[in-house]
Amino acid sequence: MPEMVDLMHKILAPLNRVQKNAVASEAKHLCVLAGAGSGKTRVIVHRIAWFLASGKASSANILAVTFTNKAANEMRERIAQLISLPTSNFWVGTFHGIAHRILRRHHVTLGLPDNFQIIDSDDQLRLIKRTIREIGIDEEACEPKKAQGFINKQKDEGRRPQDALPSAMPEIAMYNEVYRTYTNTCKRSGLVDFAEILLSAYELLRDHEDVRLAYQHQFSHILVDEFQDTNTIQYRWLQMLLGQNNAITIVGDDDQSIYGWRGAKVENIHRFSQEHPGTETVRLEQNYRSTQTILNAANHLIANNEARLGKELWTEHKKGEPITLYGAFNEMDEAKFIVERAKKWRDSGGSLSDVAILYRSNAQSRVLEQILRQSQLPYKIYGGLRFFDRAEIKDVLGYLRLLANMSDDPAFERVVNMPPRGVGERTVANLREVAKQQNISLWEAAKQTLPTMNAGRIRNGLQQFVSCIEEVSAEANTVALPKLVERLLQSSGLADHIKSQPGERTHIRVENVMEFIQAVGQYQKSFDAEQDKPAENSIKSLPAFLSEVALDAGEKESERGDQSCIKLMTLHSAKGLEFPLVFMAGLEDGLFPHHRNAEKQALLEEERRLCYVGMTRAMQKLYMTYAEKRAFAGLSGSNRPSRFINELPKNLIETVNLNVNISQPAMRSGMPSAKKKSNSVIEGLPYTLGQRVRHARFGEGVVVCGEGAGEAARLQIKFERVGPKWLALAYAKLEAV
DNA sequence: AACCATCGACTTTTT
DNA sequence: GTCGATGGTT
């Protein structure tokens, strides 16, 4: 008993007053509005521990749901750390992970094969393309990407093809037809996409009372992280688990809802307390991350949003440095400025791993990379292609999927001619025809068709493929996964193919495959440990491995090898992270807020939240930059500074123009036009940035930047014919144009 | 069937 | 300025 009291003390002691109220709340339901950097995860972890320590629930009664594997793992680890209990019987996981686990358990009830597999959005798109072709709709009229968006949206909203909303638009009917056919194909092939996981899990609970009651009985205490990001079906799914008696704790921040475009409904958190009588709402507003200056600016910005529950961050930290605003001449100049300041940070004792450069769209990283490389600063781009999405890895996975489930037609199509063995589009089309007529899989069709084919290159190739699969498949009974993968790579010729590809990427691809084999080995190990004995075959572990891979975003990759690297990522992928020094680049109207989201209020508010998220990543110092001219496909030409800049309190901002070595006083007026003028004057020189000049030898150009004064004054001119050149003003004969 | 050249599109992406 | 898809050529 004294241990219990000790434990309860240990749980509450490190918390502030509001956090304590949340953790120990006796209310039936709890809504924690957790501002950025306010100790959100800590509250959720401690509340779980509190339930356990106070005897309200045992670990098996708790369901904790997150959106990312990373968050789920972190939660699990921190619970284990706080209370010394094994966490293996906790239900902690992502929406998809938990729903998937339930699907596996009840696959019979759902009419799913026991070896059903998960397809990612890439596979989904391929399958949809094929479906469109199969139906025979004109691809011009039915863009696969749009069809994919439609289907996922339907599923996110809980609508099956037969539930289609009446619509006057003929294309809706067309998309729905694709949806219907696609659904059938998935069923036949034993495939489940991401949205399907959630929808099926919801329908299972909705339609089967016994199942529903069993889970309701089990999960007396439900906790949900990042609740502002839940979509319709996730909300309903939670509703099913909640029933009348269970208690739920939701944690989230409506000001950080930035995934509305993916179906997330901020309204879910807005209306939660109304729909759940007995809800206590707690606001975590003390921030442990940023300076008061940064928080004030962020508070001021987000106050412009109308639809919000309302929250104001504060901190006990110092005021800190002002936010530095830099209006660059162009994107090069912007990148140079950022790199310059990052260097300064390092030279004055900071670490480059503390530095993050955030941007609205991925394309912006290119210039930054270029300048970083030139400056020889180490950097790492986050959120690019995920490890398991690399082409060579997906090829190997395609083979494995086929081994796990011979009816997996998309997998068949991916690998039947990989490496090229003469089985082209024509041959596959024939197989598809056979498969369709007899309602069998492509694999079966291939085996059946083979003896009737004309001898030749095509038949040889297909025969090779079939033999390879059968051979390796037989071995799956006797060898473990890593060995199986190696055999597969050899037997299929994929290993040789990758090695023999010309180009500089070969080396990396080979390395990736090696790493994949290693990952497979690790997986087999942990699988064996769970089963309590080493498996002498891959049959059992393979489907589970594939599911794990499909539901793994590949976050592990970002963990390694990032010592003292500057981090580059989009604002979206920065959510949940923090950095001592943050640069937000490309704050231009059109880019950020993105022009497609600038008109409608709701969309603009989401852009503003994105800006808020970006700003609140910064711990010590925040830079915001924009380029007056940006060469950017589609959005070329000159841009105004982002309207968000004007929404920041002027007294928290210092405006700087690095290249001319002058610090400008804070903007006098918020008007971009006024600012533009004052900013482009080069102090002490008779030229302005962006001015056109003519040189006797180099021709016409534009003043890009300048430095020095008097005799030492130099200007950088970007010439149309010969590119940028630095010229000493004293010698170069320039004339204004 | 495989390769190459040309055209055009282009936000964000937890699973 | 780059990636991907498409169409024509070998």
Side-chain angles (χ1 to χ4, degrees):
Chain A
M1 220 46 187
E3 292 123 55
M4 206 64 129
V5 175
D6 272 0
L7 184 53
M8 288 169 83
H9 176 73
K10 189 181 163 194
I11 291 168
L12 292 185
L15 304 175
N16 70 32
R17 189 181 53 79
V18 187
Q19 288 172 337
K20 265 182 205 155
N21 287 345
V23 165
S25 168
E26 293 285 331
K28 183 169 183 197
H29 304 309
L30 181 67
C31 169
V32 182
L33 293 178
S38 65
K40 170 181 69 108
T41 309
R42 166 175 269 206
V43 165
I44 212 167
V45 163
H46 283 241
R47 184 149 168 90
I48 291 172
W50 180 258
F51 285 148
L52 296 173
S54 60
K56 286 186 173 19
S58 80
S59 55
N61 298 133
I62 286 173
L63 172 67
V65 198
T66 63
F67 276 86
T68 65
N69 290 304
K70 195 174 158 201
N73 292 335
E74 191 190 341
M75 199 179 289
R76 190 182 282 279
E77 274 164 31
R78 284 173 67 169
I79 297 168
Q81 222 169 32
L82 190 58
I83 55 170
S84 336
L85 278 176
T87 56
S88 51
N89 69 334
F90 274 83
W91 281 67
V92 179
T94 63
F95 275 100
H96 289 86
I98 285 166
H100 170 248
R101 188 168 162 185
I102 293 176
L103 255 48
R104 288 264 173 228
R105 273 188 168 184
H106 303 276
H107 71 267
V108 180
T109 315
L110 287 158
L112 280 167
D114 65 346
N115 60 351
F116 77 85
Q117 275 307 319
I118 300 165
I119 53 171
D120 62 24
S121 4
D122 213 52
D123 301 322
Q124 186 190 33
L125 185 60
R126 286 163 186 275
L127 194 46
I128 288 171
K129 274 185 193 158
R130 218 195 71 199
T131 306
I132 292 172
R133 251 173 238 175
E134 210 170 278
I135 304 177
I137 309 176
D138 184 14
E139 257 181 89
E140 302 269 300
C142 186
E143 285 173 57
K145 274 255 166 64
K146 290 214 173 124
Q148 184 182 28
F150 174 86
I151 291 172
N152 287 333
K153 193 173 171 195
Q154 298 305 305
K155 293 193 182 193
D156 286 347
E157 296 287 324
R159 285 193 291 275
R160 290 298 185 184
Q162 62 269 23
D163 306 323
L165 298 175
S167 167
M169 299 217 282
E171 53 182 25
I172 298 295
M174 178 178 68
Y175 286 142
N176 211 56
E177 180 60 24
V178 177
Y179 181 19
R180 187 191 310 278
T181 314
Y182 165 79
T183 304
N184 291 337
T185 311
C186 284
K187 250 208 159 136
R188 205 177 52 231
S189 316
L191 298 174
V192 167
D193 62 44
F194 288 138
E196 182 68 34
I197 297 176
L198 300 177
L199 181 51
S200 289
Y202 161 71
E203 289 173 341
L204 172 76
L205 298 177
R206 184 194 61 190
D207 300 339
H208 301 273
E209 193 183 24
D210 52 332
V211 181
R212 180 171 68 242
L213 291 178
Y215 281 108
Q216 283 182 359
H217 184 69
Q218 181 179 350
F219 299 129
S220 60
H221 291 73
I222 301 172
L223 300 99
V224 186
D225 193 16
E226 304 277 19
F227 194 81
Q228 77 283 351
D229 290 338
T230 52
N231 66 25
T232 302
I233 208 67
Q234 286 160 341
Y235 189 88
R236 286 202 215 152
W237 179 73
L238 288 168
Q239 212 71 46
M240 286 290 153
L241 290 172
L242 197 53
Q244 291 304 310
N245 303 316
N246 294 332
I248 187 167
T249 298
I250 67 164
V251 182
D253 181 359
D254 58 332
D255 290 335
Q256 292 188 70
S257 163
I258 55 174
Y259 285 107
W261 52 276
R262 275 183 107 251
K265 294 272 188 292
V266 218
E267 301 89 308
N268 286 350
I269 198 169
H270 285 156
R271 64 169 197 226
F272 180 84
S273 58
Q274 291 152 36
E275 290 190 2
H276 297 83
T279 297
E280 180 186 357
T281 298
V282 175
R283 284 177 163 75
L284 301 181
E285 296 176 294
Q286 181 174 4
N287 173 292
Y288 295 94
R289 178 185 294 158
S290 311
T291 65
Q292 189 68 59
T293 297
I294 291 167
L295 294 182
N296 284 353
N299 281 334
H300 201 264
L301 174 92
I302 201 68
N304 289 297
N305 274 6
E306 274 171 25
R308 58 191 293 254
L309 293 166
K311 219 172 348 72
E312 188 119 326
L313 296 176
W314 60 276
T315 182
E316 287 174 354
H317 289 169
K318 290 177 301 193
K319 202 170 131 219
E321 288 180 48
I323 294 168
T324 300
L325 177 67
Y326 179 64
F329 174 67
N330 59 20
E331 72 274 14
M332 283 281 193
D333 182 26
E334 179 186 49
K336 280 179 189 158
F337 170 80
I338 291 172
V339 167
E340 207 59 46
R341 290 298 167 114
K343 267 188 184 160
K344 260 193 192 166
W345 170 272
R346 182 194 58 186
D347 295 343
S348 55
S351 163
L352 288 183
S353 60
D354 292 343
V355 183
I357 308 175
L358 311 181
Y359 36 79
R360 175 67 237 264
S361 68
N362 286 308
Q364 286 170 255
S365 71
R366 247 197 65 252
V367 196
L368 292 161
E369 274 183 87
Q370 188 189 328
I371 305 296
L372 282 164
R373 257 199 310 270
Q374 274 172 21
S375 322
Q376 311 218 322
L377 290 185
Y379 67 89
K380 180 165 166 54
I381 298 190
Y382 288 74
L385 205 48
R386 293 180 289 201
F387 180 71
F388 291 120
D389 284 344
R390 308 254 155 86
E392 58 273 18
I393 304 299
K394 291 210 77 173
D395 289 336
V396 184
L397 283 171
Y399 275 101
L400 292 177
R401 274 171 49 185
L402 196 58
L403 288 172
N405 170 12
M406 296 298 198
S407 331
D408 190 335
D409 287 353
F412 179 96
E413 288 201 33
R414 177 163 191 119
V415 297
V416 67
N417 202 30
M418 193 69 217
R421 39 171 89 86
V423 186
E425 186 50 40
R426 193 64 172 272
T427 314
V428 177
N430 288 339
L431 291 178
R432 246 188 247 126
E433 192 54 37
V434 173
K436 196 176 168 187
Q437 271 171 13
Q438 306 185 38
N439 199 23
I440 54 176
S441 64
L442 288 175
W443 168 252
E444 306 250 12
K447 285 217 294 186
Q448 207 181 92
T449 313
L450 211 40
T452 71
M453 285 169 73
N454 294 328
R457 211 161 51 112
I458 299 176
R459 178 170 168 177
N460 276 341
L462 193 59
Q463 180 61 58
Q464 238 175 38
F465 175 72
V466 169
S467 307
C468 161
I469 297 292
E470 285 186 326
E471 209 174 282
V472 180
S473 179
E475 278 187 62
N477 293 309
T478 55
V479 301
L481 262 182
K483 189 81 192 154
L484 190 79
V485 174
E486 282 185 56
R487 287 284 302 116
L488 185 62
L489 280 161
Q490 289 212 333
S491 168
S492 63
L494 197 57
D496 290 334
H497 175 71
I498 292 172
K499 275 181 214 149
S500 66
Q501 284 284 300
E504 38 195 87
R505 290 238 258 281
T506 307
H507 176 63
I508 297 173
R509 293 165 127 209
V510 172
E511 260 180 17
N512 283 340
V513 173
M514 305 284 269
E515 196 183 327
F516 178 74
I517 295 175
Q518 230 184 345
V520 168
Q522 266 184 10
Y523 177 80
Q524 182 80 62
K525 246 195 205 156
S526 66
F527 185 85
D528 291 350
E530 245 169 67
Q531 308 287 306
D532 234 16
K533 62 168 184 337
E536 39 316 304
N537 67 62
S538 316
I539 294 293
K540 277 184 126 162
S541 49
L542 187 53
F545 170 73
L546 290 171
S547 302
E548 177 137 316
V549 166
L551 293 175
D552 180 1
E555 283 140 350
K556 255 188 274 161
E557 215 226 348
S558 49
E559 295 293 326
R560 49 165 244 271
D562 53 80
Q563 308 92 345
S564 71
C565 281
I566 296 182
K567 301 176 173 78
L568 275 69
M569 66 188 84
T570 61
L571 289 156
H572 280 90
S573 24
K575 196 178 88 163
L577 305 176
E578 59 180 25
F579 317 93
L581 176 60
V582 168
F583 295 92
M584 288 173 70
L587 277 126
E588 296 134 44
D589 250 34
L591 227 198
F592 188 33
H594 195 272
H595 64 94
R596 286 165 82 163
N597 298 342
E599 301 303 325
K600 282 179 92 176
Q601 163 104 347
L603 296 178
L604 181 63
E605 292 206 349
E606 182 154 312
E607 294 280 309
R608 191 177 282 114
R609 291 195 290 266
L610 191 56
C611 188
Y612 176 78
V613 166
M615 293 175 73
T616 52
R617 300 309 96 195
M619 300 165 79
Q620 294 174 33
K621 172 78 187 176
L622 174 63
Y623 284 91
M624 301 176 101
T625 63
Y626 63 90
E628 295 182 2
K629 287 209 166 54
R630 185 180 293 274
F632 202 68
L635 310 160
S636 66
S638 26
N639 299 306
R640 328 239 74 171
S642 171
R643 66 193 73 181
F644 297 147
I645 289 175
N646 293 334
E647 294 177 8
L648 303 174
K650 306 285 174 282
N651 61 336
L652 301 179
I653 293 184
E654 68 160 3
T655 307
V656 142
N657 193 332
L658 177 83
N659 284 321
V660 290
N661 275 332
I662 47 164
S663 271
Q664 303 246 339
M667 284 154 50
R668 248 166 319 180
S669 90
M671 294 304 293
S673 52
K675 165 149 196 319
K676 215 168 175 175
K677 230 174 207 154
S678 74
N679 220 22
S680 54
V681 172
I682 306 172
E683 204 175 56
L685 298 178
Y687 292 96
T688 56
L689 292 180
Q691 183 181 359
R692 287 191 73 80
V693 292
R694 184 181 294 122
H695 184 269
R697 200 146 60 87
F698 297 133
E700 278 188 20
V702 174
V703 180
V704 181
C705 51
E707 63 177 15
E711 292 280 308
R714 301 197 314 142
L715 282 181
Q716 190 184 24
I717 320 273
K718 189 172 181 193
F719 289 101
E720 278 164 10
R721 281 191 288 120
V722 290
K725 292 240 180 293
W726 277 101
L727 300 174
L729 204 56
Y731 303 109
K733 290 189 183 72
L734 292 171
E735 58 176 300
V737 178

